[in-house]
Every structure is written in C-alpha cells, then in structure tokens.
Coordinates of all heavy atoms in Angstrom, one line a residue:
M29 N -17.7 0.5 3.9 CA -16.7 1.0 2.9 C -17.0 0.4 1.5 O -16.2 0.6 0.7 CB -15.3 0.6 3.4 CG -14.7 1.6 4.3 SD -13.0 1.2 4.4 CE -12.5 2.6 5.3
G30 N -18.0 -0.4 1.4 CA -18.2 -0.9 0.0 C -17.7 -2.3 -0.2 O -18.0 -3.2 0.6
E31 N -16.8 -2.5 -1.2 CA -16.3 -3.8 -1.5 C -15.6 -4.4 -0.4 O -15.2 -3.8 0.5 CB -15.4 -3.7 -2.8 CG -16.1 -3.2 -4.0 CD -15.1 -3.0 -5.2 OE1 -14.1 -3.7 -5.2 OE2 -15.5 -2.2 -6.1
A32 N -15.3 -5.7 -0.6 CA -14.6 -6.5 0.4 C -13.2 -6.0 0.6 O -12.6 -5.5 -0.4 CB -14.6 -8.0 0.1
P33 N -12.6 -6.1 1.8 CA -11.2 -5.6 1.9 C -10.2 -6.4 1.1 O -10.4 -7.6 0.9 CB -10.9 -5.8 3.4 CG -11.9 -6.8 3.9 CD -13.1 -6.6 3.0
S34 N -9.2 -5.8 0.7 CA -8.1 -6.5 0.0 C -6.8 -6.0 0.4 O -6.4 -4.9 0.0 CB -8.3 -6.2 -1.5 OG -7.3 -6.8 -2.3
P35 N -6.0 -6.7 1.2 CA -6.3 -8.0 1.8 C -7.0 -7.8 3.2 O -7.2 -6.7 3.7 CB -4.9 -8.6 2.0 CG -4.1 -7.4 2.4 CD -4.7 -6.2 1.5
E36 N -7.3 -9.0 3.8 CA -7.8 -9.1 5.1 C -6.8 -9.8 6.0 O -6.3 -10.9 5.5 CB -9.1 -9.8 5.2 CG -9.8 -9.6 6.6 CD -11.3 -10.0 6.5 OE1 -11.8 -10.2 5.5 OE2 -11.9 -9.9 7.6
A37 N -6.4 -9.3 7.1 CA -5.3 -9.9 7.8 C -5.7 -10.0 9.3 O -6.4 -9.2 9.8 CB -4.0 -9.0 7.8
A38 N -5.2 -11.0 9.9 CA -5.3 -11.2 11.4 C -4.3 -10.4 12.1 O -3.2 -10.2 11.6 CB -5.2 -12.7 11.8
F39 N -4.6 -9.9 13.3 CA -3.7 -9.2 14.0 C -2.4 -10.0 14.2 O -2.4 -11.2 14.6 CB -4.2 -8.9 15.4 CG -3.3 -8.1 16.3 CD1 -3.2 -6.7 16.2 CD2 -2.5 -8.7 17.3 CE1 -2.3 -6.0 17.0 CE2 -1.6 -8.0 18.1 CZ -1.6 -6.6 17.9
G40 N -1.2 -9.4 13.9 CA 0.1 -10.0 14.0 C 0.6 -10.7 12.8 O 1.7 -11.1 12.7
D41 N -0.3 -10.8 11.7 CA 0.2 -11.4 10.5 C 1.3 -10.6 9.8 O 1.3 -9.4 10.0 CB -1.0 -11.5 9.4 CG -1.9 -12.7 9.7 OD1 -1.6 -13.5 10.6 OD2 -2.9 -12.7 9.0
A42 N 2.1 -11.3 9.1 CA 3.1 -10.6 8.2 C 2.3 -10.5 6.8 O 1.9 -11.5 6.3 CB 4.3 -11.4 8.1
V43 N 2.2 -9.3 6.3 CA 1.5 -9.1 5.1 C 2.4 -8.6 4.0 O 3.3 -7.7 4.2 CB 0.3 -8.0 5.3 CG1 -0.4 -7.7 4.1 CG2 -0.6 -8.4 6.4
R44 N 2.2 -9.1 2.8 CA 2.9 -8.7 1.7 C 1.9 -8.4 0.6 O 1.0 -9.1 0.3 CB 3.9 -9.8 1.2 CG 5.1 -10.0 2.1 CD 6.0 -11.2 1.7 NE 6.9 -10.8 0.6 CZ 8.1 -11.2 0.6 NH1 8.6 -12.0 1.5 NH2 8.9 -10.9 -0.4
I45 N 2.1 -7.2 0.0 CA 1.3 -6.7 -1.1 C 2.1 -6.3 -2.3 O 3.0 -5.6 -2.2 CB 0.4 -5.5 -0.6 CG1 -0.4 -5.9 0.6 CG2 -0.4 -5.0 -1.8 CD1 -1.2 -4.7 1.2
A46 N 1.8 -6.9 -3.5 CA 2.4 -6.6 -4.7 C 1.5 -5.5 -5.4 O 0.3 -5.8 -5.5 CB 2.7 -7.7 -5.6
M47 N 2.1 -4.4 -5.9 CA 1.4 -3.4 -6.6 C 2.0 -3.2 -8.0 O 3.3 -3.2 -8.1 CB 1.3 -2.1 -5.9 CG 0.7 -2.2 -4.6 SD 0.7 -0.6 -3.6 CE 2.4 -0.6 -3.1
I48 N 1.2 -3.1 -9.1 CA 1.7 -3.0 -10.5 C 1.2 -1.6 -11.0 O 0.0 -1.4 -11.0 CB 1.2 -4.1 -11.3 CG1 1.7 -5.5 -10.7 CG2 1.7 -3.9 -12.8 CD1 1.0 -6.7 -11.4
N49 N 2.1 -0.8 -11.4 CA 1.7 0.4 -12.0 C 1.7 0.2 -13.6 O 2.8 0.3 -14.2 CB 2.7 1.6 -11.7 CG 2.3 2.9 -12.3 OD1 1.3 2.9 -13.1 ND2 3.0 3.9 -12.0
D50 N 0.6 -0.1 -14.1 CA 0.5 -0.3 -15.5 C -0.1 0.9 -16.3 O -0.8 0.8 -17.3 CB -0.3 -1.6 -15.9 CG -1.7 -1.6 -15.3 OD1 -2.1 -0.6 -14.7 OD2 -2.4 -2.6 -15.6
T51 N 0.1 2.1 -15.6 CA -0.4 3.3 -16.3 C 0.8 4.1 -16.8 O 2.0 3.7 -16.6 CB -1.1 4.2 -15.2 OG1 -0.2 4.7 -14.3 CG2 -2.2 3.4 -14.4
A52 N 0.5 5.2 -17.4 CA 1.6 6.1 -17.9 C 2.0 7.2 -16.9 O 2.7 8.1 -17.3 CB 1.0 6.8 -19.2
W53 N 1.5 7.1 -15.7 CA 1.8 8.1 -14.7 C 2.5 7.6 -13.4 O 2.4 6.4 -13.1 CB 0.4 8.8 -14.2 CG -0.2 9.4 -15.4 CD1 0.0 10.7 -15.9 CD2 -1.3 8.8 -16.2 NE1 -0.8 10.9 -17.0 CE2 -1.6 9.8 -17.2 CE3 -1.9 7.6 -16.2 CZ2 -2.6 9.5 -18.1 CZ3 -2.9 7.4 -17.1 CH2 -3.2 8.3 -18.1
L54 N 3.1 8.5 -12.7 CA 3.7 8.1 -11.4 C 2.5 8.0 -10.4 O 1.5 8.7 -10.5 CB 4.7 9.2 -11.0 CG 5.9 9.4 -11.9 CD1 6.7 10.6 -11.3 CD2 6.8 8.2 -11.9
H55 N 2.7 7.2 -9.4 CA 1.7 7.0 -8.3 C 2.4 7.0 -7.0 O 3.3 6.1 -6.8 CB 0.8 5.8 -8.5 CG 0.0 5.9 -9.8 ND1 -1.0 6.8 -9.9 CD2 0.1 5.1 -10.9 CE1 -1.5 6.6 -11.1 NE2 -0.8 5.6 -11.8
G56 N 2.0 7.8 -6.1 CA 2.5 7.9 -4.7 C 1.6 7.0 -3.9 O 0.5 7.6 -3.4
M57 N 1.8 5.8 -3.7 CA 0.9 4.8 -3.0 C 1.1 5.0 -1.4 O 2.2 4.8 -0.9 CB 1.1 3.4 -3.4 CG 0.8 3.2 -4.9 SD -0.9 3.8 -5.4 CE -1.9 2.7 -4.5
H58 N 0.0 5.2 -0.7 CA 0.1 5.5 0.7 C -0.8 4.5 1.5 O -2.0 4.3 1.1 CB -0.4 6.9 0.9 CG -0.6 7.3 2.4 ND1 0.5 7.4 3.2 CD2 -1.7 7.6 3.1 CE1 0.1 7.8 4.4 NE2 -1.2 7.8 4.4
L59 N -0.2 3.9 2.5 CA -0.9 3.0 3.4 C -1.2 3.7 4.7 O -0.3 4.1 5.4 CB -0.1 1.7 3.6 CG -0.7 0.7 4.6 CD1 -2.0 0.2 4.1 CD2 0.3 -0.4 4.8
H60 N -2.4 3.8 5.1 CA -2.8 4.3 6.4 C -2.6 3.3 7.5 O -2.8 2.1 7.3 CB -4.3 4.8 6.4 CG -4.6 6.0 5.6 ND1 -5.0 7.2 6.2 CD2 -4.5 6.2 4.2 CE1 -5.1 8.1 5.2 NE2 -4.9 7.5 4.0
G61 N -2.2 3.7 8.7 CA -2.2 2.9 9.8 C -1.1 2.0 10.1 O -0.9 1.4 11.1
H62 N -0.2 1.9 9.1 CA 1.0 1.0 9.2 C 2.2 1.6 8.5 O 2.0 2.5 7.6 CB 0.7 -0.4 8.6 CG -0.3 -1.2 9.3 ND1 -1.7 -0.9 9.1 CD2 -0.3 -2.1 10.3 CE1 -2.4 -1.8 9.9 NE2 -1.5 -2.4 10.6
H63 N 3.3 1.2 8.8 CA 4.5 1.5 8.1 C 5.0 0.2 7.4 O 4.8 -0.9 8.0 CB 5.6 2.0 9.0 CG 5.3 3.4 9.5 ND1 4.6 3.6 10.7 CD2 5.6 4.6 9.0 CE1 4.5 4.9 10.8 NE2 5.0 5.6 9.8
F64 N 5.6 0.3 6.3 CA 6.0 -0.9 5.5 C 7.4 -0.7 5.0 O 8.0 0.4 5.1 CB 5.1 -1.2 4.3 CG 5.0 0.0 3.3 CD1 5.9 0.2 2.4 CD2 3.9 0.9 3.4 CE1 5.9 1.3 1.5 CE2 3.8 2.0 2.5 CZ 4.8 2.1 1.5
R65 N 7.9 -1.8 4.5 CA 9.3 -1.8 3.8 C 9.1 -2.4 2.4 O 8.3 -3.3 2.2 CB 10.3 -2.6 4.6 CG 10.6 -2.0 5.9 CD 11.7 -2.9 6.6 NE 11.9 -2.5 8.0 CZ 12.7 -1.5 8.4 NH1 13.5 -0.8 7.5 NH2 12.9 -1.2 9.6
Q66 N 9.7 -1.8 1.4 CA 9.7 -2.4 0.1 C 10.6 -3.6 0.1 O 11.7 -3.6 0.7 CB 10.3 -1.4 -0.9 CG 10.3 -1.9 -2.3 CD 10.8 -0.9 -3.3 OE1 11.2 0.2 -2.9 NE2 10.8 -1.3 -4.6
I67 N 10.0 -4.7 -0.5 CA 10.9 -5.9 -0.8 C 11.4 -5.8 -2.2 O 10.7 -5.8 -3.2 CB 10.0 -7.2 -0.7 CG1 9.2 -7.2 0.6 CG2 10.9 -8.4 -0.9 CD1 10.1 -7.3 1.9
R68 N 12.8 -5.6 -2.2 CA 13.4 -5.4 -3.6 C 13.5 -6.7 -4.3 O 13.4 -7.8 -3.7 CB 14.7 -4.7 -3.4 CG 14.6 -3.3 -2.7 CD 16.0 -2.7 -2.6 NE 15.9 -1.4 -1.9 CZ 16.5 -1.1 -0.8 NH1 17.3 -2.1 -0.2 NH2 16.4 0.0 -0.2
A69 N 13.8 -6.6 -5.6 CA 13.9 -7.8 -6.4 C 15.0 -8.8 -5.9 O 14.9 -10.0 -6.1 CB 14.2 -7.4 -7.9
D70 N 16.0 -8.2 -5.3 CA 17.1 -9.1 -4.8 C 16.9 -9.6 -3.4 O 17.7 -10.3 -2.8 CB 18.5 -8.4 -4.8 CG 18.5 -7.1 -3.9 OD1 17.5 -6.9 -3.2 OD2 19.6 -6.5 -3.9
G71 N 15.6 -9.3 -2.8 CA 15.2 -9.8 -1.5 C 15.6 -8.9 -0.4 O 15.2 -9.1 0.7
T72 N 16.4 -7.9 -0.6 CA 16.6 -6.9 0.4 C 15.5 -6.0 0.7 O 14.5 -5.9 -0.1 CB 17.9 -6.0 0.1 OG1 17.6 -5.3 -1.1 CG2 19.1 -6.9 -0.1
V73 N 15.5 -5.4 1.8 CA 14.3 -4.5 2.2 C 14.8 -3.0 2.2 O 15.9 -2.7 2.6 CB 13.7 -4.9 3.5 CG1 13.1 -6.3 3.4 CG2 14.7 -4.8 4.7
G74 N 13.8 -2.2 1.9 CA 14.1 -0.8 1.9 C 13.8 -0.1 3.3 O 13.4 -0.9 4.2
P75 N 13.8 1.2 3.4 CA 13.6 1.8 4.7 C 12.1 1.8 5.0 O 11.2 1.6 4.2 CB 14.1 3.3 4.4 CG 13.9 3.4 2.9 CD 14.2 2.1 2.4
L76 N 11.8 2.0 6.3 CA 10.5 2.1 6.8 C 9.8 3.3 6.3 O 10.4 4.4 6.4 CB 10.5 2.1 8.3 CG 9.3 1.6 9.1 CD1 8.9 0.2 8.8 CD2 9.6 1.8 10.6
R77 N 8.6 3.2 5.8 CA 7.8 4.3 5.2 C 6.4 4.0 5.2 O 5.9 2.9 5.4 CB 8.3 4.6 3.8 CG 8.2 3.4 2.9 CD 8.7 3.7 1.5 NE 10.1 3.8 1.4 CZ 10.9 4.4 0.5 NH1 10.3 4.9 -0.5 NH2 12.1 4.5 0.6
D78 N 5.5 5.0 4.9 CA 4.1 4.8 4.7 C 3.6 5.2 3.3 O 2.4 5.0 3.0 CB 3.3 5.5 5.8 CG 3.3 7.0 5.7 OD1 4.0 7.6 4.7 OD2 2.8 7.7 6.5
T79 N 4.5 5.7 2.5 CA 4.2 6.1 1.1 C 5.4 5.7 0.2 O 6.5 5.8 0.6 CB 4.0 7.6 1.0 OG1 3.0 8.0 1.9 CG2 3.6 8.0 -0.4
I80 N 5.1 5.2 -1.0 CA 6.1 4.9 -1.9 C 5.8 5.3 -3.3 O 4.6 5.3 -3.7 CB 6.4 3.3 -2.0 CG1 7.7 3.0 -2.7 CG2 5.2 2.5 -2.5 CD1 8.3 1.7 -2.5
L81 N 6.7 6.0 -4.0 CA 6.5 6.5 -5.3 C 6.7 5.4 -6.3 O 7.8 4.8 -6.4 CB 7.4 7.7 -5.6 CG 7.1 8.4 -7.0 CD1 5.7 8.9 -7.1 CD2 8.1 9.5 -7.2
M82 N 5.7 5.1 -7.2 CA 5.9 4.0 -8.2 C 6.0 4.7 -9.6 O 5.2 5.5 -10.0 CB 4.6 3.1 -8.2 CG 4.4 2.4 -6.9 SD 3.0 1.2 -7.0 CE 3.5 0.1 -8.3
N83 N 7.0 4.2 -10.3 CA 7.3 4.7 -11.6 C 6.3 4.0 -12.6 O 5.8 2.9 -12.3 CB 8.7 4.5 -12.0 CG 9.6 5.4 -11.3 OD1 9.5 6.6 -11.2 ND2 10.7 4.8 -10.6
R84 N 6.2 4.5 -13.8 CA 5.5 3.9 -14.9 C 6.0 2.5 -15.1 O 7.3 2.3 -15.2 CB 5.6 4.7 -16.2 CG 4.9 6.0 -16.1 CD 5.2 6.8 -17.4 NE 6.5 7.4 -17.4 CZ 6.7 8.7 -17.1 NH1 5.7 9.5 -16.8 NH2 7.9 9.2 -17.1
G85 N 5.2 1.5 -15.2 CA 5.6 0.2 -15.5 C 6.3 -0.6 -14.4 O 6.8 -1.7 -14.6
E86 N 6.3 0.0 -13.3 CA 7.0 -0.6 -12.1 C 6.1 -1.5 -11.3 O 4.9 -1.2 -11.1 CB 7.6 0.5 -11.2 CG 8.4 0.0 -10.1 CD 9.0 1.1 -9.2 OE1 8.5 2.2 -9.2 OE2 10.1 0.8 -8.7
T87 N 6.7 -2.6 -10.8 CA 6.0 -3.5 -9.8 C 6.7 -3.3 -8.5 O 8.0 -3.4 -8.5 CB 6.1 -5.0 -10.3 OG1 5.3 -5.1 -11.5 CG2 5.4 -5.8 -9.2
V88 N 6.0 -3.1 -7.5 CA 6.5 -2.8 -6.1 C 5.9 -3.8 -5.2 O 4.6 -4.0 -5.2 CB 6.3 -1.4 -5.7 CG1 6.7 -1.3 -4.2 CG2 7.1 -0.4 -6.5
E89 N 6.7 -4.5 -4.3 CA 6.1 -5.3 -3.3 C 6.5 -4.7 -2.0 O 7.6 -4.3 -1.7 CB 6.7 -6.8 -3.4 CG 6.0 -7.6 -2.4 CD 6.5 -9.1 -2.5 OE1 7.5 -9.4 -3.1 OE2 5.8 -10.0 -2.0
I90 N 5.4 -4.6 -1.1 CA 5.7 -4.0 0.3 C 5.3 -5.1 1.3 O 4.5 -6.0 1.0 CB 4.9 -2.8 0.5 CG1 3.3 -3.1 0.4 CG2 5.3 -1.7 -0.5 CD1 2.5 -1.9 0.9
A91 N 5.9 -5.0 2.5 CA 5.7 -5.9 3.5 C 5.5 -5.2 4.9 O 6.2 -4.2 5.1 CB 6.8 -7.0 3.7
F92 N 4.6 -5.6 5.7 CA 4.4 -5.0 7.0 C 3.8 -5.9 8.0 O 3.2 -6.9 7.6 CB 3.6 -3.7 6.9 CG 2.2 -3.9 6.4 CD1 1.1 -4.1 7.3 CD2 1.9 -4.0 5.0 CE1 -0.2 -4.3 6.8 CE2 0.6 -4.2 4.6 CZ -0.4 -4.3 5.5
A93 N 3.9 -5.6 9.3 CA 3.3 -6.4 10.3 C 1.9 -5.8 10.6 O 1.8 -4.6 10.8 CB 4.1 -6.3 11.6
A94 N 0.9 -6.6 10.5 CA -0.5 -6.2 10.7 C -0.7 -6.1 12.3 O -1.3 -6.9 12.9 CB -1.5 -7.2 10.1
D95 N -0.2 -4.9 12.8 CA -0.2 -4.8 14.2 C -1.1 -3.6 14.7 O -1.1 -3.2 15.8 CB 1.2 -4.6 14.7 CG 1.8 -3.4 14.1 OD1 1.2 -2.7 13.3 OD2 3.0 -3.1 14.5
N96 N -2.0 -3.1 13.8 CA -2.9 -2.1 14.2 C -4.3 -2.4 13.7 O -4.6 -2.1 12.5 CB -2.4 -0.7 13.5 CG -3.0 0.5 14.1 OD1 -3.8 0.4 15.0 ND2 -2.6 1.6 13.6
P97 N -5.1 -3.0 14.6 CA -6.4 -3.4 14.2 C -7.4 -2.3 13.7 O -7.4 -1.2 14.4 CB -7.0 -4.1 15.4 CG -5.9 -4.2 16.4 CD -4.9 -3.3 16.0
R98 N -8.1 -2.5 12.6 CA -9.0 -1.5 12.1 C -9.1 -1.7 10.6 O -8.5 -2.5 10.0 CB -8.5 -0.1 12.4 CG -9.5 1.0 12.1 CD -9.0 2.3 12.5 NE -10.1 3.0 13.1 CZ -10.0 4.0 13.9 NH1 -8.9 4.4 14.4 NH2 -11.1 4.6 14.3
D99 N -9.9 -0.9 10.0 CA -10.0 -0.8 8.5 C -9.1 0.4 8.1 O -9.2 1.4 8.6 CB -11.4 -0.6 8.0 CG -12.3 -1.7 8.3 OD1 -11.8 -2.8 8.6 OD2 -13.6 -1.5 8.3
W100 N -8.2 0.1 7.0 CA -7.3 1.1 6.6 C -7.3 1.2 5.1 O -7.4 0.3 4.4 CB -5.8 0.6 7.1 CG -5.7 0.6 8.5 CD1 -5.6 -0.6 9.3 CD2 -5.6 1.6 9.5 NE1 -5.6 -0.2 10.6 CE2 -5.5 1.1 10.8 CE3 -5.6 3.0 9.3 CZ2 -5.4 1.9 11.9 CZ3 -5.5 3.8 10.5 CH2 -5.4 3.2 11.7
L101 N -7.1 2.5 4.7 CA -7.0 2.8 3.2 C -5.6 2.5 2.7 O -4.6 2.8 3.4 CB -7.4 4.2 2.9 CG -8.8 4.6 3.0 CD1 -9.0 6.1 2.8 CD2 -9.6 3.8 1.9
L102 N -5.6 2.1 1.4 CA -4.3 2.0 0.6 C -4.7 2.7 -0.7 O -5.6 2.3 -1.4 CB -3.9 0.6 0.3 CG -2.8 0.4 -0.7 CD1 -1.5 1.0 -0.2 CD2 -2.5 -1.1 -0.9
H103 N -4.1 3.9 -1.0 CA -4.5 4.7 -2.1 C -3.4 5.5 -2.6 O -2.4 5.7 -2.0 CB -5.6 5.7 -1.6 CG -5.2 6.7 -0.7 ND1 -4.8 7.9 -1.0 CD2 -5.1 6.6 0.7 CE1 -4.4 8.6 0.1 NE2 -4.6 7.8 1.1
C104 N -3.7 6.0 -3.9 CA -2.7 6.9 -4.5 C -2.9 8.3 -3.8 O -4.0 8.8 -3.6 CB -3.0 7.0 -6.0 SG -1.8 8.1 -6.8
H105 N -1.8 8.9 -3.5 CA -1.8 10.2 -2.9 C -2.1 11.4 -3.9 O -2.3 12.5 -3.4 CB -0.5 10.5 -2.1 CG -0.7 10.6 -0.7 ND1 -0.1 11.7 0.0 CD2 -1.4 9.9 0.3 CE1 -0.5 11.6 1.3 NE2 -1.2 10.5 1.5
M106 N -2.1 11.1 -5.2 CA -2.5 12.1 -6.2 C -4.0 12.0 -6.1 O -4.7 11.1 -6.4 CB -2.0 11.7 -7.5 CG -0.5 12.0 -7.8 SD 0.6 10.9 -6.8 CE 2.1 11.2 -7.6
L107 N -4.6 13.1 -5.5 CA -6.0 13.1 -5.2 C -6.9 12.8 -6.4 O -7.9 12.1 -6.2 CB -6.4 14.4 -4.6 CG -5.7 14.7 -3.2 CD1 -6.2 16.1 -2.7 CD2 -6.0 13.6 -2.2
E108 N -6.5 13.3 -7.6 CA -7.4 12.9 -8.7 C -7.4 11.4 -9.0 O -8.4 10.9 -9.5 CB -6.8 13.7 -10.0 CG -6.9 15.2 -9.9 CD -5.6 15.7 -9.2 OE1 -4.6 15.0 -8.9 OE2 -5.6 16.9 -8.8
H109 N -6.3 10.8 -8.8 CA -6.2 9.4 -9.0 C -7.0 8.6 -7.9 O -7.7 7.6 -8.3 CB -4.7 8.8 -8.9 CG -3.9 9.5 -9.9 ND1 -2.5 9.3 -9.9 CD2 -4.1 10.3 -10.9 CE1 -1.9 10.0 -10.9 NE2 -2.9 10.6 -11.6
S110 N -6.9 9.0 -6.7 CA -7.8 8.4 -5.7 C -9.3 8.6 -6.0 O -10.1 7.6 -5.9 CB -7.5 9.0 -4.3 OG -6.3 8.4 -3.8
A111 N -9.6 9.8 -6.4 CA -11.0 10.1 -6.7 C -11.5 9.3 -7.9 O -12.7 8.9 -8.0 CB -11.2 11.6 -7.0
G112 N -10.6 8.9 -8.8 CA -10.9 8.1 -9.9 C -10.9 6.6 -9.6 O -11.2 5.8 -10.5
G113 N -10.7 6.2 -8.4 CA -10.9 4.9 -8.0 C -9.6 4.1 -7.7 O -9.6 2.9 -7.4
M114 N -8.4 4.8 -7.6 CA -7.2 4.1 -7.3 C -7.0 4.1 -5.8 O -6.2 4.7 -5.2 CB -6.0 4.9 -8.0 CG -4.7 4.1 -7.8 SD -3.3 4.8 -8.8 CE -3.6 3.9 -10.2
M115 N -7.8 3.2 -5.3 CA -7.7 3.0 -3.8 C -8.4 1.7 -3.5 O -9.2 1.2 -4.3 CB -8.4 4.1 -3.0 CG -9.9 4.1 -3.1 SD -10.6 5.3 -1.9 CE -10.4 6.9 -2.8
T116 N -8.0 1.1 -2.4 CA -8.6 -0.1 -1.8 C -8.5 0.1 -0.3 O -8.0 1.1 0.2 CB -7.9 -1.4 -2.3 OG1 -8.7 -2.5 -2.0 CG2 -6.5 -1.5 -1.8
W117 N -8.9 -0.9 0.4 CA -8.8 -0.9 1.8 C -8.5 -2.3 2.3 O -8.7 -3.3 1.6 CB -10.0 -0.3 2.5 CG -11.3 -1.1 2.3 CD1 -12.0 -1.2 1.1 CD2 -12.0 -1.9 3.3 NE1 -13.1 -2.0 1.4 CE2 -13.1 -2.4 2.7 CE3 -11.7 -2.2 4.6 CZ2 -14.0 -3.3 3.3 CZ3 -12.6 -3.0 5.3 CH2 -13.8 -3.5 4.6
L118 N -7.9 -2.3 3.5 CA -7.6 -3.6 4.1 C -8.1 -3.6 5.5 O -8.3 -2.6 6.1 CB -6.1 -3.9 4.1 CG -5.1 -2.8 4.8 CD1 -4.7 -3.4 6.1 CD2 -4.0 -2.6 3.9
R119 N -8.3 -4.8 6.0 CA -8.8 -5.0 7.4 C -7.8 -5.7 8.2 O -7.4 -6.8 7.7 CB -10.2 -5.7 7.4 CG -10.6 -6.0 8.8 CD -12.1 -6.5 8.8 NE -13.0 -5.3 8.5 CZ -14.1 -5.4 7.8 NH1 -14.5 -6.6 7.4 NH2 -14.8 -4.4 7.6
V120 N -7.5 -5.2 9.4 CA -6.7 -6.0 10.4 C -7.6 -6.2 11.5 O -8.2 -5.3 12.1 CB -5.5 -5.2 10.8 CG1 -4.7 -5.9 11.9 CG2 -4.6 -4.8 9.6
A121 N -7.9 -7.5 11.8 CA -8.8 -7.9 12.9 C -8.2 -8.9 13.8 O -7.3 -9.7 13.4 CB -10.1 -8.5 12.3

C-alpha cells in the first residue's frame, strides 16, 4: 500500500485519531473495517458510525476498538479528494 500505516494498532487496542480539516471544503471521512464514535470537546461520545462529515476548520477526534485485523483505509468519501491524496491507511495486527 505504499507508505507506513498511520496508525498501527495491536488487536484489541483502543485507538483515538484526531483529524483536522484545514481546507475550505467539507470532508466526509470514512473508516473501513471499524465503527467509531466521535469524542466531543466536552468528553462525551457521539453515535456509532463509520463516516463523519467534517466542516471547514473543524477538528474531530474519533475512537474505536481495533478488533478487526487487517489493513484498512481512512479516506475522504468525496472521490476527487481521495484521488488527490486525502487518504491514509491503518493496520490492525
């Protein structure tokens, strides 16, 4: 898949990923293979989902249990954005 995974997690780890939208566009960020919850600024958690819409200038933190071993994509669901490089991958081993 190219570059090193970001992040790499052991099976069963609790994973938290912060994403920053420093662009002028909305981004629907989608995680393959897992469901996550948004960690809100006040510490509460949002509903279970696999995609979250990020507004311009927004920082979003997600958390999930790394319970599905494999290599998984994390990317913008706007295909032009993914094709332009707005994607990474993570490994659960």
Side-chain angles (χ1 to χ4, degrees):
M29 276 193 169
E31 296 180 25
S34 178
E36 190 162 359
F39 180 81
D41 279 356
V43 178
R44 290 174 80 141
I45 299 173
M47 298 179 285
I48 302 167
N49 181 358
D50 60 0
T51 73
W53 299 277
L54 298 172
H55 296 293
M57 298 305 295
H58 174 66
L59 176 61
H60 288 247
H62 294 84
H63 290 91
F64 59 80
R65 294 183 189 272
Q66 180 181 2
I67 307 297
R68 298 183 183 119
D70 65 2
T72 61
V73 297
L76 203 57
R77 58 182 69 201
D78 66 3
T79 305
I80 191 163
L81 184 62
M82 295 183 65
N83 291 309
R84 293 177 279 262
E86 183 177 29
T87 297
V88 170
E89 185 174 18
I90 62 171
F92 63 94
D95 59 1
N96 196 358
R98 187 177 220 154
D99 294 341
W100 298 104
L101 283 176
L102 172 62
H103 65 95
C104 181
H105 242 229
M106 284 68 167
L107 296 179
E108 298 85 8
H109 299 174
S110 284
M114 185 171 270
M115 72 170 80
T116 189
W117 63 286
L118 60 103
R119 173 170 289 149
V120 176

